[in-house]
Amino acid sequence: MKKTDNQILTIFGASGDLTERKLIPAVFNLFKRGFLPENYAILGVSRTDFSDEEYRKKVVFDNPHLKASKEKPDELDSFAKLVFYQSIDTKAVVDYQLLANRLKTLCNDCHTDQNYIFYLSTPPSLYSVISKNLGEAQLNTEEKGWKRLIVEKPFGYTLESAKELNNQLLESFKEDQIYRIDHYLGKETVQNTLVARFGNTIFEPLWNRIYIEKVEITAAESVGVEKRGGYYDGSGALRDMIQNHLLQLVSLVTMEPPARMDAESIHNEKLKLFRSLRPLTQDDIRDNVIRGQYLNSTIGDKEYLGYRDEQGVDAESRTETFAALKFYIDNWRWADVPFFVRTGKRLPTRVSEVVIHFKPNHHHLFSQRRIANSQNVLVFRIQPNEGILLKFGLKVPGNGFKVETVNMDFQYDGLTDAYVPEAYERLLLDCMQGDATLYARGDSVIAAWEFVDPILKAWKDDPDLPVYGYPSGTWGPEQANTLIENGHGWRNPCANLVDDGLYCEL
């Protein structure tokens, strides 16, 4: 276990939903399990006027996402003593002297050695403003203790805005001080793809174009945009999921083995991978990129609104709630292997997974034996029912060679004695310990934007590129199935990993 320095976590946007729903619960869980250092404090910062006690009541005692252990009913009281609040106008540089003074006071009272994490849980428009003002107040300097800046997504709206934001952050903070958070990378099964690949001799020799036919990645949500229609209508599925979460996931599945399991080595390999993505031409965007919007439908006895009927959404919006694309990686390992990525809202179930389709045997000994030309499939289930599934053929007992496909699976919730931390818990602890392995580096973020940006420009400039409708509760537009040529189509998973291949309730 790495040593965790004494420190203060400063949360900008401290009165917002993310802080109450994810950040404070994550730190509380670290507190319960003894992962916090001996001297630690949380300082909430926003424009709302709270006293320390009022803020503690809001984010600790009245927070439905915090649950104390039955054996330790005083846990909330003990944790609340670590929580403080400072009201400032984040756009006013003069107010940052108030913040600096408060941090110095807390540092002296809590003995935290001027080690500060600044978490930007704010609208993206404030990222550069806050970082600049922190620099003006000398809260970025490391003469007396380290300083780290955590930036939430979205990191830019286009390639140009991402470059501009990156340059603005680097004016006040060094690259090794900036932690660009992607909560997908904090999920246990995402991290386990590296172990499965590089820690097992049965997988890595097969992890290439010679043995793998295709790779597909699905990130499906059963909910719609809910009350986020105003935000989502300016974003869409490509920006919201593929540019960050899913391309980061692609990089972990496909990158070359790093020289060492440290942040710099892994980031270097991810950057090489992003730069190997084959640029999409106008023809590729027309033929190999599908976008859609969910339509109103009835599922069971419940009516669901179409996307354009949601609160805050333009009645003529062309923002995609579904996106699917086919692309290639131009390097020695993956030449000519197609990759299929899709994400969408109002799909049948909430599920995220990576599916590795191995090529069938060249000589089909068991053709006409029910599963002629059967293929092995390896599934990394990211959520829910986190686990791994391997599909392979076995002979059915009895005469002859009747072959059935069987499943061999492992699920994390079967480890009854192991606690699987939430993504924000793992990522916050990593930042506390100075480990940037599961965070995105600036050059990789820009390289991912270079791949995605031509799609966004084509959608903006060419009104003839269609937006397909799909009924809520289905697996997206039918046209998405045309991306996969071999007739098998997408793997449409059940919510439960072990129900693979069966009819199941979604």
Side-chain angles (χ1 to χ4, degrees), residues 356-370:
I356 310 296
H357 296 266
F358 292 94
K359 291 181 178 179
N361 287 326
H362 300 295
H363 185 37
H364 306 144
L365 287 173
F366 304 108
S367 59
Q368 312 302 321
R369 303 281 181 179
R370 185 173 180 180

Side-chain angles (χ1 to χ4, degrees), residues 232 235-244 289 320 322-323 325 343 452-453 455-456 459:
Y232 195 89
S235 177
L238 190 67
R239 288 187 179 95
D240 192 48
M241 290 293 294
I242 292 179
Q243 184 278 326
N244 41 68
V289 180
E320 77 286 356
F322 176 96
L325 58 151
T343 185
V452 167
D453 204 56
I455 304 174
L456 295 170
W459 286 350

Side-chain angles (χ1 to χ4, degrees), residues 16 22 24 31 112 158 250 273 300 310 331 361 389-390 394 400:
K22 291 293 185 181
I24 295 295
F31 166 78
T112 55
T158 62
V250 167
L273 186 281
E310 298 276 17
N331 63 18
N361 287 326
L389 171 71
L390 178 64
L394 281 181

